[in-house]
């Protein structure tokens, strides 16, 4: 497929031994709960793929076996200015081999958001990161054509996605292109709030990210979903009403009160720590 060529072009020479994830709820892993109640998410799953790629050298010291370090600085609800102000300098100091950078989604869904101005902030962060770390992988937006409310922002998200691709070209960054990932157009790829991925959705994004980095992945992120019985229009409207009551109205309320879901949240993995012994 087309992404295979890009994945080969951006394959890192030396094996990646450290990875820092920067972003918001998408990168934190909201929608993909772990057994202890914390979020897992695509970035955690990508870290496992990268760690499994490390060679097992029988002559290496024990400390070198599985010597992969991972940090996740992402915090839900954060706007791009705060991500650039707090997470990007931290990622620069950690100096990991790989940084994934995803930001701007929370800005785009706000009234009056200008994707051109958001992209300017995004590019300044990419410029800073590429001067400090080995590889910076940038992430486009999803295509929201099938998402109620968000489908009306499709033009803004498409414009921003075009900016991200252009920035990647200017700075030589691999691109995790979520707009073209067709499998996440299925509603089963999304959590009940329709804003965050489900565990399977996060898994498919991690698989695509691995492909982009030239890592052998255990499954095709575009593998077909199992067939589902068709839903009637009445069932669809009932689901939309329930979704609006449970998720959309509270979200609007938080916006009106100037609150964010990340006001009292902290990064789940702020330091580069071994992923496994």
């Amino acid at each position: 497929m087309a992404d295979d060529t890009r994945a080969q072009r951006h394959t890192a020479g030396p094996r990646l031994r450290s990875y820092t994830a920067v972003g918001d709820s998408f990168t934190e892993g909201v929608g993909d709960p772990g057994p202890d109640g914390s979020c897992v998410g695509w970035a955690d799953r990508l870290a496992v793929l990268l760690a499994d790629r490390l060679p097992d050298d029988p002559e290496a010291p024990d400390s070198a076996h599985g010597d992969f370090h991972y940090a996740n600085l992402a915090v839900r609800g954060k706007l791009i200015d705060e991500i650039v102000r707090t997470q990007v300098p931290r990622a620069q100091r950690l100096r990991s081999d790989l940084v994934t950078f995803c930001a701007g989604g929370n800005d785009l869904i706000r009234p009056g958001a200008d994707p051109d101005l958001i992209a300017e902030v995004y590019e300044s962060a990419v410029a800073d990161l590429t001067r400090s770390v080995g590889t910076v992988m940038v992430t486009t937006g999803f295509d929201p054509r099938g998402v109620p409310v968000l489908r009306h922002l499709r033009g803004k998200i498409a414009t921003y996605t075009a900016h991200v691709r252009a920035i990647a070209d200017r700075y030589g960054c691999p691109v995790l292109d979520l707009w073209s990932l067709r499998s996440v157009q299925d509603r089963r790829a999304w959590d009940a709030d329709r804003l965050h991925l489900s565990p399977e959705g996060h898994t498919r994004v991690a698989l695509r990210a691995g492909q982009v980095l030239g890592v052998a992945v255990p499954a095709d992120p575009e593998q077909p979903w199992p067939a589902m019985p068709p839903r009637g229009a009445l069932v669809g409207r009932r689901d939309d009403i329930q979704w609006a009551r449970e998720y959309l109205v509270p979200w609007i309320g938080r916006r009106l009160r100037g609150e964010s879901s990340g006001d009292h949240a902290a990064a789940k993995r702020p330091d580069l720590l071994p992923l496994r012994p």
Side-chain angles (χ1 to χ4, degrees), residues 2-3 6 9-10 101 103 115 118-120 122-123 126 136-144 154-182 185 208 212 222:
D3 289 281
R6 181 165 57 210
R9 188 169 67 244
H10 289 295
F101 180 50
I118 299 170
E120 290 180 7
Y122 191 97
E123 180 163 6
V126 171
V136 179
M137 182 164 70
V138 299
T139 307
T140 74
F142 293 96
D143 184 351
R154 193 180 187 217
K156 283 186 177 182
I157 297 173
T159 299
Y160 188 62
T161 289
H163 278 302
V164 169
R165 291 193 183 110
I167 292 167
D169 286 343
R170 286 195 286 272
Y171 292 89
C173 300
V175 181
L176 176 53
D177 187 357
L178 302 175
W179 188 279
S180 67
L181 187 58
R182 295 183 300 274
Q185 294 298 325
R208 173 52 57 85
V212 172
E222 293 284 26

Side-chain angles (χ1 to χ4, degrees), residues 72-125:
N72 190 316
L73 311 180
V75 177
R76 66 193 68 187
K78 296 304 181 184
L79 301 175
I80 191 169
D81 283 339
E82 188 168 3
I83 291 172
V84 171
R85 187 176 68 254
T86 61
Q87 296 181 34
V88 169
R90 176 65 176 164
Q92 289 179 279
R93 291 193 296 272
L94 292 176
R95 292 186 175 275
S96 56
D97 295 335
L98 170 70
V99 169
T100 56
F101 180 50
C102 181
N106 289 319
D107 300 78
L108 286 170
I109 61 178
R110 294 189 170 226
D114 185 338
D116 299 329
L117 295 178
I118 299 170
E120 290 180 7
V121 180
Y122 191 97
E123 180 163 6
S124 69

Side-chain angles (χ1 to χ4, degrees), residues 224-236:
W225 291 82
M228 285 185 64
R231 295 193 310 163
L234 181 60
V235 173

Side-chain angles (χ1 to χ4, degrees), residues 164-245:
V164 169
R165 291 193 183 110
I167 292 167
D169 286 343
R170 286 195 286 272
Y171 292 89
C173 300
V175 181
L176 176 53
D177 187 357
L178 302 175
W179 188 279
S180 67
L181 187 58
R182 295 183 300 274
S183 62
V184 296
Q185 294 298 325
D186 191 287
R187 59 189 174 90
R188 287 169 287 183
W190 294 88
D191 191 31
D193 66 2
R194 303 184 184 181
L195 291 173
H196 300 101
L197 293 172
S198 66
E200 179 65 18
H202 277 285
T203 298
R204 289 175 182 251
V205 169
L207 293 170
R208 173 52 57 85
Q211 287 181 333
V212 172
L213 293 170
V215 177
V217 297
D220 179 4
E222 293 284 26
Q223 61 186 317
W225 291 82
M228 285 185 64
R231 295 193 310 163
L234 181 60
V235 173
R237 287 196 295 271
R238 187 183 303 123
D239 288 348
D240 289 346
I241 292 171
Q242 182 176 352
W243 167 78
R245 183 185 302 118

